[in-house]
């Protein structure tokens, strides 16, 4: 991957989805390539929204620089829940939200049931929602509903599954470029 690292004046925080991001996942590759920070939580199998929101808040407060949030799957819902409650939204320069699952699905794993109902209000920060037309965990229509509720632009990336390691994205340079665009865009009021 030939791309520029994030500017020194921003921190990039990775927010994986349920069960974390494995070795072939583009988030893990970005972490290794660019020295990015993954926001950890206590239990990737049974994630607790409030606990994980606290971990995100602590990561933001530990660094004076503005942050870019890079969320995948359930991590997108973490960003929405955090943004609805935090007084630190001004510290986030932008958020790349990738493949948020549809929490209203009848086949939602029981570990994710406590995340219902999803937060459906404007994020109040610059963001972009990337989604695949054949994501097994959210239809394109459900992804569009989230983008509209969160008041963020939607980025349809075609038929690429859940936009994870199985999607063949490797280092996903298109998303890296979009992340840099978020860093350069003016902040929301």
């Amino acid at each position: 991957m030939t791309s520029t690292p994030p500017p020194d004046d921003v921190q990039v925080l990775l927010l994986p989805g349920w069960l974390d991001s494995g070795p072939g996942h583009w988030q893990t590759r970005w972490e290794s390539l660019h020295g990015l920070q993954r926001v950890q939580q206590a239990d990737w199998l049974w994630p607790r929204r409030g606990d994980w929101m606290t971990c995100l808040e602590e990561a933001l407060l530990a660094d004076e620089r503005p942050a870019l949030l890079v969320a995948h799957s359930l991590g997108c819902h973490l960003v929405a829940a955090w943004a609805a409650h935090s007084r630190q939204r001004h510290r986030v320069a932008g958020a790349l939200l990738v493949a948020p699952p549809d929490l209203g699905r009848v086949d939602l794993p029981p570990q994710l049931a406590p995340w219902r109902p999803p937060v459906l209000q404007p994020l109040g920060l610059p963001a972009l929602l990337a989604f695949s037309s054949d994501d097994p965990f959210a239809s394109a229509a459900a992804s569009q509903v989230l983008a509209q509720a969160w008041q963020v632009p939607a980025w349809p990336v075609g038929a690429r599954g859940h936009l994870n390691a199985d999607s063949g994205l490797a280092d996903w340079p298109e998303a890296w470029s979009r992340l840099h665009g978020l860093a350069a865009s003016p902040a929301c009021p």
Side-chain angles (χ1 to χ4, degrees):
M1 177 181 199
T2 56
S3 65
T4 56
D8 289 335
D9 60 343
V10 297
Q11 63 172 322
V12 180
L13 299 176
L14 300 172
L15 306 165
W18 181 46
L19 303 177
D20 202 359
S21 294
H25 196 288
W26 57 269
Q27 279 187 321
T28 303
R29 294 170 70 110
W30 286 10
E31 181 179 27
S32 176
L33 284 167
H34 305 295
L36 307 182
Q37 178 184 347
R38 183 181 307 232
V39 176
Q40 296 292 340
Q41 56 154 320
D43 189 344
W44 289 103
L45 182 59
W46 291 89
R48 297 173 59 137
R49 182 169 38 190
D51 291 349
W52 202 7
M53 287 169 54
T54 299
C55 292
L56 173 54
E57 188 91 356
E58 289 172 353
L60 285 167
L61 293 173
D63 193 317
E64 294 180 7
R65 298 174 296 169
L68 291 172
L69 306 179
V70 180
H72 179 256
S73 195
L74 190 62
C76 300
H77 288 284
L78 168 68
V79 172
W82 170 84
H85 294 94
S86 179
R87 294 183 182 183
Q88 303 300 322
R89 281 196 323 251
H90 66 280
R91 300 176 73 91
V92 175
L96 179 61
L97 309 169
V98 178
D102 179 358
L103 296 180
R105 294 176 38 210
V106 294
D107 62 345
L108 190 73
Q111 296 93 324
L112 305 184
W115 287 73
R116 288 179 174 156
V119 174
L120 298 175
Q121 65 186 52
L123 296 183
L125 51 92
L128 176 66
L129 189 152
F131 71 94
S132 169
S133 61
D134 64 348
D135 188 330
F137 305 113
S139 67
S143 298
Q144 293 280 8
V145 166
L146 285 176
Q148 189 172 32
W150 293 340
Q151 293 186 1
V152 301
W155 173 31
V157 299
R160 298 178 105 172
H162 191 48
L163 301 175
N164 56 14
D166 296 334
S167 299
L169 299 169
D171 297 335
W172 203 13
E174 300 91 354
W176 185 252
S177 177
R178 295 280 184 132
L179 180 65
H180 281 275
L182 283 171
S185 66
C188 285

